Amino acid sequence: MANKWVYLFTEGNANMRELLGGKGANLAEMTGLGLPVPQGFTITTEACTQYYEDGREINAEIQGQINEYIVKMEEITGKKFGDKENPLLVSVRSGARASMPGMMDTILNLGLNDEVVEGLSRKTNNPRFAWDSYRRFVQMYGDVVLGMKPTNKDDIDPFEAIIEDVKKAKGVRLDNELDVDDLKQLVVRFKAAVKQQTGQDFPNSAYDQLWGAICAVFDSWMNERAILYRKMEGIPAEWGTAVNVQAMVFGNMGDTSATGVCFSRDAATGEDLFNGEYLINAQGEDVVAGIRTPQQITK
């Protein structure tokens, strides 16, 4: 029997931490408890180990199973990956069995391109949301997967430098004050920056984007930060990291949606006190970026 490299969230549980990583095991456990978890699948820690044994390549067997599970996700969500009219967009996150903060940043809105964004705009009747999601995706993918680096003396992220330039020209202070035309301009300029720095065009195919993101998660297991952290914490290199591919839900669709973080305990004292914070019309990274002040979830 062939190895099983991929698990739907409905196929796992909290006891499978070694195979599914902490995040994957907990997503599976929450799914089993009936919580409204956006569905997806976890590529196992064993697949990461195999990736390194195969010379940093995803072998045909693992690729085949990932393709099968994309189809299963399409059936669950009623959407199609890479489709122009009813697109399935996904997030890609790392998840080792031991918590490793800062190993790899999240990639959101994966699956967008110049045609899919127009379909998403029509389907939601919300062009600003669609183009905001697209510019965020190009920025995250460029930073995390394509390795975009600052080229200025102030060591500013090249995408953030472009955003500041556009905001200054528009005379606004916040990212969410930019309109659809501004966001379209950002996407064009972001892609031009990628081409200039990497010599490559930004990937257009949803599957090319996905393979790049999965490899980036696996590669992050051996980046300098991760190696140093493992040495400090005594985490074996052979453990590997899992990859979680999950259907997107959106906090940036307008003033009736939001993103945030919540806890069932006070993180400082352990007191049984539900707490957290949120931002209206935003996506996950905005909460930790410090650009806008979050609201307390109790308000």
Side-chain angles (χ1 to χ4, degrees):
M1 182 180 168
N3 284 337
K4 184 169 171 61
W5 304 104
V6 187
Y7 287 77
L8 286 174
F9 295 164
T10 52
E11 296 178 308
N13 58 60
N15 297 323
M16 297 172 69
R17 190 181 188 94
E18 292 185 9
L19 188 64
L20 303 179
K23 191 172 278 132
N26 288 329
L27 284 165
E29 185 72 9
M30 288 189 290
T31 296
L33 290 170
L35 295 175
V37 176
Q39 286 302 289
F41 58 82
T42 300
I43 306 165
T44 66
T45 56
E46 290 178 350
C48 178
T49 305
Q50 190 65 45
Y51 171 79
Y52 283 100
E53 288 181 10
D54 293 333
R56 296 202 180 206
E57 287 189 2
I58 303 173
N59 69 37
E61 185 180 56
I62 297 172
Q63 280 197 40
Q65 288 190 25
I66 292 168
N67 286 331
E68 286 175 25
Y69 276 72
I70 285 287
V71 173
K72 291 182 180 184
M73 265 187 84
E74 290 174 338
E75 292 168 353
I76 291 167
T77 61
K79 300 176 181 179
K80 196 161 179 63
F81 193 51
D83 188 68
K84 298 171 191 172
E85 301 304 324
N86 187 26
L88 168 63
L89 303 183
V90 301
S91 64
V92 178
R93 294 179 171 90
S94 62
R97 65 167 95 167
S99 177
M100 292 184 61
M103 188 171 77
M104 195 197 99
D105 298 318
T106 296
I107 300 164
L108 303 177
N109 312 317
L110 189 145
L112 283 169
N113 61 29
D114 292 350
E115 294 175 318
V116 174
V117 71
E118 294 292 358
L120 184 65
S121 177
R122 289 190 298 271
K123 181 176 172 57
T124 59
N125 196 29
N126 192 341
R128 195 196 179 281
F129 151 71
W131 282 93
D132 181 53
S133 299
Y134 194 17
R135 73 90 185 164
R136 289 170 182 273
F137 168 57
V138 176
Q139 181 173 0
M140 287 181 183
Y141 198 92
D143 282 336
V144 176
V145 179
L146 304 178
M148 291 287 286
K149 298 285 189 293
T151 57
N152 46 64
K153 64 179 187 300
D154 298 321
D155 203 36
I156 298 171
D157 177 276
F159 298 119
E160 289 297 330
I162 293 169
I163 292 172
E164 289 306 313
D165 190 38
V166 171
K167 286 195 294 190
K168 187 176 178 182
K170 187 77 184 279
V172 299
R173 189 172 65 87
L174 298 175
D175 293 3
N176 63 353
E177 294 176 285
L178 298 173
D179 63 23
V180 175
D181 288 337
D182 300 324
L183 296 168
K184 288 181 177 180
Q185 183 189 155
L186 286 180
V187 170
V188 170
R189 290 183 62 177
F190 283 0
K191 287 186 171 185
V194 168
K195 177 77 170 178
Q196 182 179 8
Q197 189 172 134
T198 69
Q200 297 179 342
D201 291 321
F202 190 86
N204 200 45
S205 157
Y207 278 95
D208 287 345
Q209 295 168 2
L210 181 62
W211 300 128
I214 293 169
C215 288
V217 175
F218 287 158
D219 288 339
S220 72
W221 181 250
M222 286 297 181
N223 71 25
E224 199 173 327
R225 278 185 304 176
I227 291 170
L228 185 61
Y229 187 86
R230 283 202 299 275
K231 283 182 179 175
M232 289 168 53
E233 299 296 323
I235 298 170
E238 57 269 21
W239 277 7
T241 182
V243 183
N244 298 289
V245 179
Q246 188 172 17
M248 281 296 304
V249 290
F250 302 97
N252 60 325
M253 294 188 78
D255 292 339
T256 57
S257 59
T259 184
V261 181
C262 64
F263 303 91
S264 60
R265 295 285 185 276
D266 184 298
T269 66
E271 185 184 355
D272 185 0
L273 184 70
F274 183 70
N275 65 105
E277 53 190 22
Y278 69 97
L279 276 175
I280 291 173
N281 196 17
Q283 281 199 318
E285 304 306 296
D286 298 347
V287 176
V288 294
I291 299 168
R292 291 164 59 195
T293 304
Q295 306 296 311
Q296 290 300 312
I297 207 163
T298 49
K299 297 292 191 294

